[in-house]
Short mmCIF file of all heavy atoms in Angstrom, two decimals:
data_model
loop_
_atom_site.label_atom_id
_atom_site.label_comp_id
_atom_site.label_asym_id
_atom_site.label_seq_id
_atom_site.Cartn_x
_atom_site.Cartn_y
_atom_site.Cartn_z
N GLY A 1 -20.02 -0.68 -2.44
CA GLY A 1 -20.81 -1.67 -3.18
C GLY A 1 -20.08 -2.02 -4.45
O GLY A 1 -19.10 -1.41 -4.83
N GLY A 2 -20.59 -3.02 -5.12
CA GLY A 2 -19.94 -3.51 -6.36
C GLY A 2 -18.68 -4.28 -6.03
O GLY A 2 -18.42 -4.72 -4.89
N THR A 3 -17.84 -4.42 -7.07
CA THR A 3 -16.60 -5.23 -6.81
C THR A 3 -15.43 -4.44 -7.37
O THR A 3 -15.48 -3.64 -8.32
CB THR A 3 -16.64 -6.53 -7.57
OG1 THR A 3 -16.84 -6.30 -9.02
CG2 THR A 3 -17.78 -7.41 -7.06
N VAL A 4 -14.22 -4.66 -6.70
CA VAL A 4 -12.96 -4.12 -7.16
C VAL A 4 -11.99 -5.32 -7.13
O VAL A 4 -11.81 -6.01 -6.14
CB VAL A 4 -12.41 -3.05 -6.22
CG1 VAL A 4 -11.11 -2.46 -6.73
CG2 VAL A 4 -13.45 -1.93 -6.04
N ARG A 5 -11.34 -5.54 -8.28
CA ARG A 5 -10.40 -6.65 -8.42
C ARG A 5 -9.03 -6.13 -8.82
O ARG A 5 -8.90 -5.17 -9.63
CB ARG A 5 -10.89 -7.66 -9.42
CG ARG A 5 -12.16 -8.40 -9.00
CD ARG A 5 -12.54 -9.41 -10.09
NE ARG A 5 -13.69 -10.29 -9.68
CZ ARG A 5 -14.93 -9.96 -9.90
NH1 ARG A 5 -15.23 -8.83 -10.54
NH2 ARG A 5 -15.87 -10.76 -9.48
N LEU A 6 -7.96 -6.76 -8.33
CA LEU A 6 -6.61 -6.61 -8.80
C LEU A 6 -6.17 -7.95 -9.38
O LEU A 6 -6.20 -8.96 -8.64
CB LEU A 6 -5.67 -6.16 -7.68
CG LEU A 6 -4.20 -6.07 -8.04
CD1 LEU A 6 -3.96 -4.90 -9.06
CD2 LEU A 6 -3.32 -5.88 -6.86
N PHE A 7 -5.82 -7.97 -10.63
CA PHE A 7 -5.46 -9.21 -11.34
C PHE A 7 -6.53 -10.25 -11.17
O PHE A 7 -6.23 -11.41 -10.83
CB PHE A 7 -4.10 -9.77 -10.78
CG PHE A 7 -2.95 -8.78 -10.89
CD1 PHE A 7 -2.05 -8.63 -9.88
CD2 PHE A 7 -2.78 -8.03 -12.02
CE1 PHE A 7 -1.01 -7.72 -9.92
CE2 PHE A 7 -1.69 -7.12 -12.11
CZ PHE A 7 -0.84 -6.99 -11.09
N GLU A 8 -7.80 -9.79 -11.32
CA GLU A 8 -8.95 -10.71 -11.31
C GLU A 8 -9.22 -11.25 -9.92
O GLU A 8 -10.06 -12.17 -9.79
CB GLU A 8 -8.83 -11.82 -12.30
CG GLU A 8 -8.64 -11.33 -13.75
CD GLU A 8 -9.80 -10.48 -14.26
OE1 GLU A 8 -10.92 -10.66 -13.74
OE2 GLU A 8 -9.53 -9.61 -15.15
N LYS A 9 -8.57 -10.75 -8.88
CA LYS A 9 -8.81 -11.26 -7.52
C LYS A 9 -9.33 -10.11 -6.68
O LYS A 9 -8.80 -9.02 -6.69
CB LYS A 9 -7.50 -11.76 -6.93
CG LYS A 9 -7.56 -12.28 -5.58
CD LYS A 9 -6.16 -12.84 -5.09
CE LYS A 9 -6.21 -13.28 -3.64
NZ LYS A 9 -4.84 -13.79 -3.20
N GLU A 10 -10.50 -10.34 -6.01
CA GLU A 10 -11.13 -9.27 -5.25
C GLU A 10 -10.21 -8.77 -4.14
O GLU A 10 -9.49 -9.50 -3.48
CB GLU A 10 -12.45 -9.81 -4.64
CG GLU A 10 -13.54 -9.95 -5.66
CD GLU A 10 -14.93 -10.01 -4.99
OE1 GLU A 10 -15.18 -9.27 -4.02
OE2 GLU A 10 -15.75 -10.81 -5.48
N LEU A 11 -10.30 -7.46 -3.93
CA LEU A 11 -9.41 -6.81 -2.97
C LEU A 11 -9.54 -7.40 -1.58
O LEU A 11 -8.56 -7.55 -0.87
CB LEU A 11 -9.69 -5.29 -2.92
CG LEU A 11 -8.73 -4.43 -3.73
CD1 LEU A 11 -8.77 -4.78 -5.22
CD2 LEU A 11 -9.04 -2.93 -3.54
N ARG A 12 -10.73 -7.72 -1.17
CA ARG A 12 -10.97 -8.19 0.20
C ARG A 12 -10.27 -9.54 0.47
O ARG A 12 -10.09 -9.92 1.61
CB ARG A 12 -12.45 -8.28 0.54
CG ARG A 12 -13.21 -9.20 -0.38
CD ARG A 12 -14.75 -9.21 -0.05
NE ARG A 12 -15.45 -9.97 -1.02
CZ ARG A 12 -15.56 -11.29 -0.89
NH1 ARG A 12 -15.05 -11.93 0.10
NH2 ARG A 12 -16.31 -11.97 -1.80
N THR A 13 -9.92 -10.28 -0.62
CA THR A 13 -9.33 -11.56 -0.45
C THR A 13 -7.76 -11.46 -0.40
O THR A 13 -7.10 -12.46 -0.16
CB THR A 13 -9.74 -12.52 -1.54
OG1 THR A 13 -9.28 -12.02 -2.82
CG2 THR A 13 -11.28 -12.66 -1.59
N TRP A 14 -7.22 -10.26 -0.73
CA TRP A 14 -5.79 -10.09 -0.69
C TRP A 14 -5.29 -9.91 0.71
O TRP A 14 -5.90 -9.14 1.50
CB TRP A 14 -5.36 -8.89 -1.55
CG TRP A 14 -5.33 -9.08 -3.01
CD1 TRP A 14 -6.39 -8.94 -3.92
CD2 TRP A 14 -4.23 -9.42 -3.80
NE1 TRP A 14 -5.99 -9.19 -5.18
CE2 TRP A 14 -4.63 -9.44 -5.20
CE3 TRP A 14 -2.89 -9.70 -3.55
CZ2 TRP A 14 -3.80 -9.74 -6.22
CZ3 TRP A 14 -2.02 -9.98 -4.59
CH2 TRP A 14 -2.48 -10.03 -5.91
N LYS A 15 -4.19 -10.50 1.11
CA LYS A 15 -3.52 -10.16 2.33
C LYS A 15 -2.67 -8.93 2.14
O LYS A 15 -2.07 -8.74 1.07
CB LYS A 15 -2.63 -11.33 2.77
CG LYS A 15 -3.43 -12.56 3.21
CD LYS A 15 -2.54 -13.63 3.73
CE LYS A 15 -3.35 -14.79 4.22
NZ LYS A 15 -2.49 -15.93 4.71
N ASN A 16 -2.69 -8.06 3.12
CA ASN A 16 -2.03 -6.70 2.98
C ASN A 16 -0.57 -6.85 2.56
O ASN A 16 -0.13 -6.10 1.63
CB ASN A 16 -2.10 -5.96 4.27
CG ASN A 16 -3.53 -5.40 4.54
OD1 ASN A 16 -4.33 -5.41 3.62
ND2 ASN A 16 -3.74 -4.92 5.71
N ARG A 17 0.18 -7.71 3.15
CA ARG A 17 1.63 -7.79 2.80
C ARG A 17 1.80 -8.14 1.34
O ARG A 17 2.62 -7.49 0.67
CB ARG A 17 2.33 -8.84 3.68
CG ARG A 17 3.83 -9.01 3.37
CD ARG A 17 4.43 -10.03 4.32
NE ARG A 17 4.50 -9.57 5.67
CZ ARG A 17 5.47 -8.79 6.15
NH1 ARG A 17 6.47 -8.41 5.37
NH2 ARG A 17 5.44 -8.43 7.43
N SER A 18 1.03 -9.07 0.83
CA SER A 18 1.16 -9.43 -0.58
C SER A 18 0.64 -8.34 -1.51
O SER A 18 1.25 -8.04 -2.52
CB SER A 18 0.37 -10.72 -0.82
OG SER A 18 0.36 -11.08 -2.16
N TYR A 19 -0.43 -7.66 -1.06
CA TYR A 19 -1.07 -6.65 -1.87
C TYR A 19 -0.11 -5.48 -2.12
O TYR A 19 0.03 -5.00 -3.24
CB TYR A 19 -2.33 -6.16 -1.19
CG TYR A 19 -3.19 -5.23 -2.02
CD1 TYR A 19 -4.01 -5.73 -3.03
CD2 TYR A 19 -3.16 -3.86 -1.86
CE1 TYR A 19 -4.80 -4.94 -3.82
CE2 TYR A 19 -3.97 -3.01 -2.64
CZ TYR A 19 -4.73 -3.56 -3.62
OH TYR A 19 -5.53 -2.74 -4.40
N TYR A 20 0.52 -5.04 -1.04
CA TYR A 20 1.38 -3.87 -1.17
C TYR A 20 2.70 -4.14 -1.80
O TYR A 20 3.53 -3.17 -2.00
CB TYR A 20 1.51 -3.15 0.20
CG TYR A 20 0.17 -2.62 0.68
CD1 TYR A 20 -0.39 -3.01 1.88
CD2 TYR A 20 -0.55 -1.71 -0.11
CE1 TYR A 20 -1.60 -2.57 2.32
CE2 TYR A 20 -1.77 -1.25 0.32
CZ TYR A 20 -2.27 -1.68 1.53
OH TYR A 20 -3.51 -1.20 1.93
N GLN A 21 2.97 -5.36 -2.10
CA GLN A 21 4.13 -5.65 -2.95
C GLN A 21 3.86 -5.31 -4.39
O GLN A 21 4.73 -5.07 -5.23
CB GLN A 21 4.53 -7.14 -2.84
CG GLN A 21 5.11 -7.50 -1.49
CD GLN A 21 5.41 -8.99 -1.37
OE1 GLN A 21 4.96 -9.84 -2.21
NE2 GLN A 21 6.12 -9.39 -0.30
N HIS A 22 2.54 -5.28 -4.73
CA HIS A 22 2.15 -4.99 -6.11
C HIS A 22 1.71 -3.53 -6.26
O HIS A 22 1.80 -2.94 -7.36
CB HIS A 22 0.95 -5.86 -6.49
CG HIS A 22 1.27 -7.28 -6.59
ND1 HIS A 22 1.92 -7.88 -7.65
CD2 HIS A 22 1.02 -8.34 -5.70
CE1 HIS A 22 2.09 -9.18 -7.48
NE2 HIS A 22 1.54 -9.47 -6.23
N VAL A 23 1.16 -2.94 -5.18
CA VAL A 23 0.53 -1.60 -5.28
C VAL A 23 1.21 -0.64 -4.33
O VAL A 23 1.37 -0.93 -3.15
CB VAL A 23 -0.96 -1.70 -4.91
CG1 VAL A 23 -1.59 -0.32 -4.97
CG2 VAL A 23 -1.70 -2.67 -5.90
N GLY A 24 1.61 0.55 -4.86
CA GLY A 24 2.16 1.62 -4.01
C GLY A 24 1.23 2.77 -4.01
O GLY A 24 0.42 2.98 -4.95
N PHE A 25 1.32 3.59 -2.94
CA PHE A 25 0.39 4.71 -2.77
C PHE A 25 1.13 5.93 -2.23
O PHE A 25 1.84 5.82 -1.24
CB PHE A 25 -0.72 4.33 -1.79
CG PHE A 25 -1.78 5.41 -1.61
CD1 PHE A 25 -2.49 5.90 -2.72
CD2 PHE A 25 -2.06 5.94 -0.32
CE1 PHE A 25 -3.47 6.89 -2.51
CE2 PHE A 25 -3.04 6.96 -0.16
CZ PHE A 25 -3.71 7.41 -1.25
N VAL A 26 0.98 7.05 -2.89
CA VAL A 26 1.50 8.33 -2.46
C VAL A 26 0.38 9.21 -1.96
O VAL A 26 -0.50 9.59 -2.75
CB VAL A 26 2.28 9.03 -3.60
CG1 VAL A 26 2.77 10.42 -3.18
CG2 VAL A 26 3.46 8.19 -4.07
N PHE A 27 0.41 9.52 -0.66
CA PHE A 27 -0.67 10.29 -0.04
C PHE A 27 -0.66 11.74 -0.46
O PHE A 27 0.35 12.32 -0.84
CB PHE A 27 -0.51 10.22 1.46
CG PHE A 27 -0.87 8.93 2.15
CD1 PHE A 27 0.05 7.91 2.19
CD2 PHE A 27 -2.13 8.73 2.70
CE1 PHE A 27 -0.24 6.72 2.81
CE2 PHE A 27 -2.42 7.52 3.33
CZ PHE A 27 -1.50 6.49 3.36
N GLN A 28 -1.85 12.36 -0.37
CA GLN A 28 -2.00 13.78 -0.65
C GLN A 28 -1.20 14.58 0.39
O GLN A 28 -0.56 15.56 0.08
CB GLN A 28 -3.45 14.19 -0.62
CG GLN A 28 -3.69 15.64 -1.11
CD GLN A 28 -5.19 15.97 -1.11
OE1 GLN A 28 -5.87 15.79 -0.12
NE2 GLN A 28 -5.63 16.47 -2.25
N GLN A 29 -1.26 14.18 1.68
CA GLN A 29 -0.49 14.77 2.73
C GLN A 29 0.67 13.82 3.05
O GLN A 29 0.48 12.79 3.72
CB GLN A 29 -1.37 15.03 3.98
CG GLN A 29 -2.49 15.99 3.74
CD GLN A 29 -2.04 17.38 3.31
OE1 GLN A 29 -0.85 17.73 3.51
NE2 GLN A 29 -2.91 18.15 2.72
N PRO A 30 1.88 14.14 2.63
CA PRO A 30 3.01 13.17 2.80
C PRO A 30 3.33 12.77 4.25
O PRO A 30 3.85 11.74 4.49
CB PRO A 30 4.17 13.89 2.14
CG PRO A 30 3.75 15.33 2.05
CD PRO A 30 2.28 15.34 1.95
N ASP A 31 2.94 13.66 5.24
CA ASP A 31 3.25 13.30 6.62
C ASP A 31 2.61 11.97 7.01
O ASP A 31 3.13 11.27 7.92
CB ASP A 31 2.69 14.39 7.55
CG ASP A 31 3.47 15.69 7.50
OD1 ASP A 31 4.45 15.71 6.69
OD2 ASP A 31 3.15 16.66 8.21
N LEU A 32 1.48 11.60 6.37
CA LEU A 32 0.76 10.38 6.72
C LEU A 32 1.56 9.17 6.28
O LEU A 32 1.23 8.01 6.69
CB LEU A 32 -0.63 10.37 6.09
CG LEU A 32 -1.56 11.50 6.44
CD1 LEU A 32 -2.83 11.43 5.64
CD2 LEU A 32 -1.86 11.45 7.91
N GLN A 33 2.56 9.32 5.48
CA GLN A 33 3.23 8.20 4.85
C GLN A 33 4.54 7.81 5.57
O GLN A 33 5.07 6.69 5.33
CB GLN A 33 3.58 8.58 3.42
CG GLN A 33 3.96 7.45 2.48
CD GLN A 33 3.95 7.91 1.02
OE1 GLN A 33 3.15 8.73 0.66
NE2 GLN A 33 4.86 7.41 0.24
N PHE A 34 5.07 8.67 6.44
CA PHE A 34 6.39 8.47 6.97
C PHE A 34 6.29 7.64 8.27
O PHE A 34 5.44 7.79 9.10
CB PHE A 34 7.08 9.78 7.28
CG PHE A 34 7.22 10.67 6.07
CD1 PHE A 34 6.94 12.02 6.12
CD2 PHE A 34 7.59 10.17 4.86
CE1 PHE A 34 7.06 12.80 5.01
CE2 PHE A 34 7.70 10.93 3.69
CZ PHE A 34 7.44 12.30 3.81
N LEU A 35 7.29 6.70 8.39
CA LEU A 35 7.30 5.74 9.50
C LEU A 35 8.56 5.85 10.36
O LEU A 35 8.56 5.40 11.50
CB LEU A 35 7.22 4.30 8.97
CG LEU A 35 5.95 3.99 8.10
CD1 LEU A 35 6.08 2.64 7.47
CD2 LEU A 35 4.68 4.12 8.91
N LYS A 36 9.64 6.40 9.84
CA LYS A 36 10.93 6.39 10.50
C LYS A 36 11.37 7.75 11.01
O LYS A 36 10.75 8.76 10.67
CB LYS A 36 12.00 5.78 9.58
CG LYS A 36 11.76 4.29 9.27
CD LYS A 36 11.88 3.44 10.57
CE LYS A 36 11.77 1.98 10.26
NZ LYS A 36 11.94 1.16 11.50
N GLN A 37 12.47 7.78 11.75
CA GLN A 37 12.91 9.00 12.41
C GLN A 37 13.76 9.83 11.49
O GLN A 37 13.92 11.08 11.75
CB GLN A 37 13.77 8.64 13.63
CG GLN A 37 12.97 7.94 14.74
CD GLN A 37 11.88 8.80 15.31
OE1 GLN A 37 12.07 9.98 15.62
NE2 GLN A 37 10.68 8.28 15.40
N THR A 38 14.35 9.25 10.43
CA THR A 38 15.17 10.05 9.52
C THR A 38 14.82 9.76 8.09
O THR A 38 14.25 8.73 7.76
CB THR A 38 16.69 9.72 9.73
OG1 THR A 38 16.95 8.37 9.25
CG2 THR A 38 17.12 9.86 11.16
N VAL A 39 15.21 10.67 7.19
CA VAL A 39 15.01 10.53 5.77
C VAL A 39 15.73 9.27 5.27
O VAL A 39 15.16 8.47 4.50
CB VAL A 39 15.52 11.79 5.02
CG1 VAL A 39 15.53 11.55 3.52
CG2 VAL A 39 14.68 13.00 5.36
N GLU A 40 16.96 9.08 5.72
CA GLU A 40 17.77 7.94 5.28
C GLU A 40 17.07 6.65 5.62
O GLU A 40 17.00 5.70 4.82
CB GLU A 40 19.16 8.02 5.94
CG GLU A 40 20.12 6.96 5.44
CD GLU A 40 21.49 7.12 6.02
OE1 GLU A 40 21.60 7.20 7.29
OE2 GLU A 40 22.41 7.29 5.31
N ASP A 41 16.48 6.55 6.85
CA ASP A 41 15.81 5.34 7.24
C ASP A 41 14.55 5.05 6.45
O ASP A 41 14.14 3.92 6.28
CB ASP A 41 15.47 5.40 8.75
CG ASP A 41 16.74 5.22 9.63
OD1 ASP A 41 17.74 4.73 9.12
OD2 ASP A 41 16.68 5.61 10.81
N GLU A 42 13.88 6.14 5.96
CA GLU A 42 12.73 5.95 5.09
C GLU A 42 13.15 5.25 3.82
O GLU A 42 12.45 4.39 3.27
CB GLU A 42 12.06 7.29 4.76
CG GLU A 42 11.29 7.93 5.89
CD GLU A 42 9.97 7.18 6.21
OE1 GLU A 42 9.50 6.46 5.32
OE2 GLU A 42 9.50 7.34 7.33
N PHE A 43 14.35 5.60 3.29
CA PHE A 43 14.83 4.91 2.07
C PHE A 43 15.20 3.45 2.46
O PHE A 43 14.91 2.58 1.61
CB PHE A 43 16.11 5.67 1.55
CG PHE A 43 15.78 6.86 0.74
CD1 PHE A 43 15.95 8.13 1.28
CD2 PHE A 43 15.33 6.73 -0.55
CE1 PHE A 43 15.67 9.24 0.49
CE2 PHE A 43 15.01 7.89 -1.30
CZ PHE A 43 15.20 9.10 -0.79
#
C-alpha cells in the first residue's frame, strides 16, 4: 500500500532494465545473486 518513488517516478512505472541501471542490490544470501559459471564471468 502507499507509494514508493525513485526520482519522483513510481516504481511500478519503471522498466526493469532502466531501473537496475540506477539501483543495485546485494542479497542477504549471495547464492541468489550469481548468474554465471565462474567468478571471472560474474565480473
Side-chain angles (χ1 to χ4, degrees):
T3 59
V4 182
R5 293 183 173 88
L6 175 69
F7 303 137
E8 302 301 331
K9 181 178 176 180
E10 286 198 38
L11 260 60
R12 59 184 176 83
T13 65
W14 282 87
K15 292 184 178 180
N16 285 347
R17 180 179 292 274
S18 176
Y19 189 79
Y20 295 121
Q21 289 176 351
H22 296 281
V23 179
F25 182 58
V26 175
F27 286 82
Q28 189 178 52
Q29 298 299 342
D31 288 1
L32 300 175
Q33 195 167 325
F34 302 138
L35 302 172
K36 292 296 185 178
Q37 297 296 314
T38 69
V39 170
E40 186 175 57
D41 287 341
E42 287 288 339
F43 280 104

